[in-house]
């Protein structure tokens, strides 16, 4: 009998709904008849009952069935007085947003069940690394006296003031509160930049491999993505920018110079200056995505490009996601006021701005004396997790994996010394073993590369995760 | 001497920056020379010093000047080694987002200074109507034990559960948690729908006059907006929909049937059913924007379209903004799961989801026994403000203004019995007097209509505001 295809991009519940829809319209289930019970169909198709519930809900919302309390799910009279439910398929295929890459969707669906696989894929901190106590205490002890009405389109002014001081103190970046836009994170900053400052067809340089390369947002904005090679030892070569500009007339450069994601490299001071000069000579703005500078394990923070930028060319994108907590959804863009103003106006059209309470929490957090201590503790814990990962790799995969040791950030960029015969099969086998990572192809790299986020698993799961990866490697290597 | 043009659409600080840029490039201020001090230029141009600060910041970020501590603002050597600051003008003109309508920008700039004008324009609650105490107590007494990491793309599951129960209990709407998408408010729901379910060139019916008509988001998505006449006594005529569809092949209908903004009408039960039937016969989905149903002053909540929708055609958009607090940024979309899923995926690309803490607060709020009491109190206070507004209109503008008395919502839709000679001049005169409202043209109506939001001013400012409006009317009528 028919079984859903677990490898296909189409979610299982939707395959089941389509399948049942076909059988209903084909007459197999006449009007008024009952569909198989949820439990029964789940058993037959070897899926979770909740998946069948979702499929039946889909059929109900399409107007094909209704729930009869105590009886089950019943097929409603066809046409119901001539009514046609909207053909949602057409609407689902419309619009300008391209779906996220299949590998990432696969990873996300595996991670939906808490604790099911050991997670080296999500590029974020383990919850024990968040300043949980500080935030809880803050919520309890300080009285939220902020304004719960619509806010300044640029974001909560006291947070922009705190942030301005924070950027100066910790990163040597001068940005007045009027040149700051508070966003819901780096993602929103990048989305606003690509949607509002660029037009379809514009050529933009994007590092490869990079996290940026994995995002659909450049394509969703209709931009022409020009790959800018990011060497896994030294990062981008600014002279490449000059060459690419000659060939493509770049409108913007997207870079992540400090603890680049995924390679972990830090662009040298000389290269940073050369990049600024080359871009300045040609009038090309640079978007600097900087989630990780403050995670420098030894506390020596590499200067952001923006801190070296005298000419106002760098649009600086930062956030609290990797140095505090991603669930706060607090990020920022430092840019000329006119840019900030335009993007704030567009953002108002999208979502009317950020929530008041998290902005208040973030302002308190950045101003608190404990934040410096939190950063020091975070660096220490990240370094420990990296050491655990390396020890586990040495033990379980001796000589199989090569990597450059990062000095900050959350990720290890690794390479199989012997290219796997089939990277997809290895990825699937790892999931079967109970561990997930991100294949290099997601970032625009080759099948011998992969990213392990050492920040995400709990300390006591890192070795177990590597052991499972090793088991998958040995299994997959046999074919 | 040159003075900024306060009527122009271009912000004052930017006019000043352009003006000074011209003078710098023209040689009036050679390299190394100082620009006038901020205070001096502010005096000369009769603007706030902060406006000049912003203008100088703009020049600095363009690489033309630098701040010399203790000296002032100095012109930097031209070209700085051949460097060209990016031409931000090109980038500001790019992108797909259309700016908000000029009248709204004017209103917002007037409102930027707290308390400067009496605000009948902002369509939101006065802060004293928010459940401030409940939220403060909640933050202090309950421990936030939620997850501060990345969340479910559909939003915090416990909030979707609370919301599902809330919708059933208060609005008779059945929506399982899997068919709910939590958004940052109605604005984000509408943005996602227009960007993701429709393609450029698609024809959509939008009520006129309506709040929806005032938004740029339909045009930003490249949609063809087909006006659907909303009568100011009875709302839309569903038979008009059939006619419009015959002529334009409508892809979607956008409606606000309960306490329509701005007219305040409630669509009759018969018209609601007819609208559902006509749309169903043609397979056209309906987007129901429903911010106000629960504000029904006498507590008799008019049924939302969605509660009458058996066929799964209505995409239901709601939020906490008008019944709790807009600063929470919590809204929702109830739709077939496949739609919710696609929109959640697109929203991830835009901003990676909502902040954790406000979602937790909202879940606690909706579940709290006090919320019903809060709604009852809100209705009482809104009714009181409406009564105050009506009494003030009767006293200060007897016989000059006609309106239908709304039974819920935040707004009074008023009409000058004698059309003003010049609606723009009246609007400006009102601002000079110290009161602001929204001209009918913003909603697609004529110059004799205007909207007064009675919910926004404090109780003791309502009469004062109407007195100022009356003064403006008499002044403007003299010409």
């Amino acid at each position: 009998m028919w079984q859903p295809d677990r490898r296909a991009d189409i979610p299982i519940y939707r395959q089941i709904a389509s399948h049942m829809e076909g059988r209903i319209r084909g007459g197999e289930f006449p009007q008024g008849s009952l569909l198989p019970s949820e439990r029964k169909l789940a058993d037959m198709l070897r899926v979770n009952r909740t998946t069948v519930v979702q499929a039946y809900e889909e059929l109900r919302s399409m107007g094909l069935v209704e729930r009869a309390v105590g009886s089950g799910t019943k097929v409603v009279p066809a046409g119901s007085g001539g009514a046609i439910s909207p053909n949602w398929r057409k609407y689902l295929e419309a619009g300008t947003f391209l779906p996220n890459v299949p590998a990432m969707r696969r990873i996300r669906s595996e991670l939906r069940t808490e604790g099911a696989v050991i997670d080296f894929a999500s590029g974020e901190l383990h919850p024990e690394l968040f300043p949980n106590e500080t935030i809880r205490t803050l919520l309890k002890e300080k009285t939220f006296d902020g304004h719960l009405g619509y806010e300044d389109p640029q974001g909560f002014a006291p947070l922009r003031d705190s942030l301005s001081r924070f950027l100066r103190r910790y990163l040597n970046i001068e940005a007045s509160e009027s040149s700051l836009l508070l966003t819901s994170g780096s993602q929103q900053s990048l989305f606003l930049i690509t949607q509002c400052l660029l037009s379809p067809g514009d050529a933009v340089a994007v590092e490869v491999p990079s996290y940026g390369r994995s995002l659909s947002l450049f394509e969703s904005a209709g931009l022409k993505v020009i790959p800018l090679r990011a060497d896994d030892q030294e990062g981008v070569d600014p002279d490449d920018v000059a060459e690419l500009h000659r060939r493509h007339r770049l409108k913007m450069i997207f870079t992540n110079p400090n603890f680049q994601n995924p390679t972990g490299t830090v662009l040298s001071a000389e290269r940073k200056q050369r990049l600024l000069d080359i871009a300045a000579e040609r009038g090309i703005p640079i978007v600097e995505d900087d989630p990780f500078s403050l995670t420098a394990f030894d506390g020596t923070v590499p200067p952001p490009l923006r801190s070296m930028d005298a000419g106002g060319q760098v649009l600086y994108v930062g956030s609290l996601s990797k140095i505090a907590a991603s669930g706060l959804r607090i990020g920022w863009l430092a840019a000329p006021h006119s840019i900030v103003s335009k993007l704030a106006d567009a953002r108002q059209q999208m979502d009317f701005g950020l929530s008041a309470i998290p902005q208040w929490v973030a302002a308190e957090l950045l101003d608190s004396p404990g934040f410096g201590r939190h950063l020091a503790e975070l660096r220490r814990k990240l370094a420990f997790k990296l050491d655990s990962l390396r020890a586990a790799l040495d033990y379980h995969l001796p000589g199989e994996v090569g990597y450059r040791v990062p000095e900050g950030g959350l990720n290890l960029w690794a390479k199989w010394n012997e290219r796997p015969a089939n990277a997809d099969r290895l990825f699937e086998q790892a999931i079967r073993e109970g561990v997930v990572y991100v294949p290099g192809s997601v970032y625009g790299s080759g099948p011998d590369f992969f990213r392990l986020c050492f920040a995400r698993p709990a300390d006591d799961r890192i070795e177990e995760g590597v052991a499972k990866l090793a088991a998958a490697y040995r299994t997959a290597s046999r074919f």
Side-chain angles (χ1 to χ4, degrees), chain A:
Chain A
M1 71 166 280
W2 177 84
Q3 293 282 338
D5 178 4
R6 277 153 226 280
R7 290 278 183 81
D9 268 357
I10 304 167
I12 306 282
Y13 84 89
R14 210 195 290 175
Q15 294 183 44
I16 296 173
S18 295
H19 169 75
M20 295 305 290
E21 180 189 0
R23 291 168 73 180
I24 291 169
R25 295 200 192 276
E28 180 180 345
F29 294 102
Q31 296 176 27
S33 67
L34 287 172
L35 293 187
S37 75
E38 289 158 3
R39 182 159 288 118
K40 185 159 197 231
L41 192 61
D43 285 348
M44 295 198 299
L45 300 180
R46 299 207 185 93
V47 297
N48 283 340
R49 182 166 170 249
T50 47
T51 307
V52 175
V53 170
Q54 259 183 350
Y56 279 7
E57 168 62 23
E58 175 85 325
L59 293 171
R60 192 209 65 75
S61 66
M62 286 162 68
L64 287 169
V65 305
E66 65 191 354
R67 285 186 80 90
V69 175
S71 314
T73 306
K74 196 160 60 164
V75 179
V76 295
S80 284
I84 310 164
S85 197
N87 181 355
W88 290 117
R89 288 281 173 281
K90 286 188 314 180
Y91 292 89
L92 287 166
E93 284 151 21
T96 39
F97 279 89
L98 303 175
N100 284 316
V101 290
M104 291 313 297
R105 291 212 303 276
R106 182 89 181 78
I107 288 167
R108 264 197 289 277
S109 85
E110 283 305 318
L111 292 174
R112 225 177 289 266
T113 319
E114 191 94 19
V117 290
I118 294 175
D119 183 9
F120 283 121
S122 300
E124 63 157 339
L125 303 174
H126 186 276
E128 55 149 13
L129 299 174
F130 302 152
N132 295 299
E133 260 324 291
T134 308
I135 288 176
R136 255 176 231 132
T137 306
L138 205 153
L139 288 172
K140 271 196 172 305
E141 292 182 3
K142 300 222 174 202
T143 307
F144 173 70
D145 54 359
H147 180 232
L148 281 167
Y150 289 117
E151 258 293 337
D152 187 313
Q154 275 182 238
F156 191 46
L159 175 54
R160 283 182 283 127
D161 287 335
S162 295
L163 183 59
S164 184
R165 289 191 292 274
F166 175 83
L167 291 173
R168 176 185 302 124
R169 176 180 171 191
Y170 285 92
L171 293 163
N172 206 24
I173 286 175
E174 286 300 320
S176 63
E177 55 81 26
S178 73
S179 69
L180 289 170
L181 174 67
L182 298 172
T183 67
S184 105
S186 304
Q187 189 73 17
Q188 187 172 52
S189 301
L190 294 173
F191 180 74
L192 288 169
I193 288 169
T194 51
Q195 291 282 333
C196 302
L197 302 180
L198 297 161
S199 299
D202 282 351
V204 295
V206 176
E207 291 173 345
V208 169
S210 76
Y211 169 73
R213 193 68 192 90
S214 74
L215 302 176
S216 343
L217 60 80
F218 296 104
E219 284 86 354
S220 290
L223 303 174
K224 201 166 132 207
V225 173
I226 310 295
L228 173 60
R229 209 178 70 92
D231 176 78
D232 61 6
Q233 300 298 322
E234 297 190 316
V236 301
D237 183 340
D239 291 312
D240 288 351
V241 170
E243 178 58 29
L244 291 181
H245 183 65
R246 199 170 29 247
R247 280 195 272 145
H248 302 283
R249 282 214 60 227
L250 302 173
K251 287 291 180 359
M252 208 169 271
I253 298 162
F254 288 80
T255 180
N256 165 206
N258 288 346
F259 307 122
Q260 204 260 5
N261 183 356
T263 63
T265 58
V266 175
L267 210 58
S268 68
E270 293 75 24
R271 286 196 175 200
K272 282 172 175 164
Q273 189 56 58
R274 183 128 182 80
L275 179 60
L276 286 168
D277 294 341
I278 286 177
E281 284 159 20
R282 294 152 184 78
I284 312 168
I286 300 172
V287 176
E288 175 179 20
D289 188 11
D290 185 23
F292 304 119
S293 284
L294 293 173
T295 63
F297 300 147
D298 69 0
T300 313
V301 176
L305 261 185
R306 167 71 190 225
S307 67
M308 302 165 64
D309 172 35
Q313 307 161 244
V314 177
L315 305 183
Y316 181 78
V317 171
S319 100
L320 284 182
S321 296
K322 310 298 197 282
I323 58 173
S326 45
L328 283 174
R329 309 307 314 124
I330 295 287
W332 49 85
L333 171 67
H337 178 79
S338 51
I339 298 283
V340 161
S341 195
K342 169 168 175 160
L343 267 47
D345 196 57
R347 191 264 296 277
Q348 286 298 99
Q349 292 186 42
M350 294 179 203
D351 64 19
F352 264 24
L354 302 180
S355 191
I357 297 171
Q359 295 184 84
W360 168 74
V361 168
E364 294 285 343
L365 204 60
L366 291 180
D367 275 336
S368 73
F371 198 68
R373 283 195 302 275
H374 159 72
L375 284 179
E377 183 71 352
L378 174 65
R379 292 164 182 159
R380 195 184 63 70
K381 290 179 171 175
L382 286 173
F384 179 80
K385 286 182 185 293
L386 172 61
D387 287 345
S388 304
L389 179 67
R390 295 179 63 197
L393 287 169
D394 287 345
Y395 183 80
H396 292 284
L397 285 161
E400 310 279 12
V401 174
Y403 55 84
R404 183 188 157 284
V405 183
E407 287 141 350
L410 280 53
N411 303 301
L412 187 87
W413 183 235
K415 184 182 199 287
W416 294 110
N417 288 335
E418 211 170 285
R419 174 175 291 206
N422 188 323
D424 291 341
R425 191 186 301 137
L426 172 55
F427 176 68
E428 288 295 332
Q429 185 61 30
I431 288 173
R432 268 192 286 276
E433 292 286 344
V435 65
V436 68
Y437 57 89
V438 187
S441 55
V442 168
Y443 304 109
S445 193
D448 33 356
F449 286 93
F450 58 107
R451 188 189 82 170
L452 294 169
C453 177
F454 49 83
R456 186 68 186 89
D459 287 349
D460 60 5
R461 298 210 86 192
I462 292 177
E463 202 212 326
E464 188 189 343
V466 175
K468 291 174 186 292
L469 176 64
Y473 180 68
R474 303 199 201 300
T475 304
S477 308
R478 279 201 285 268
F479 303 95

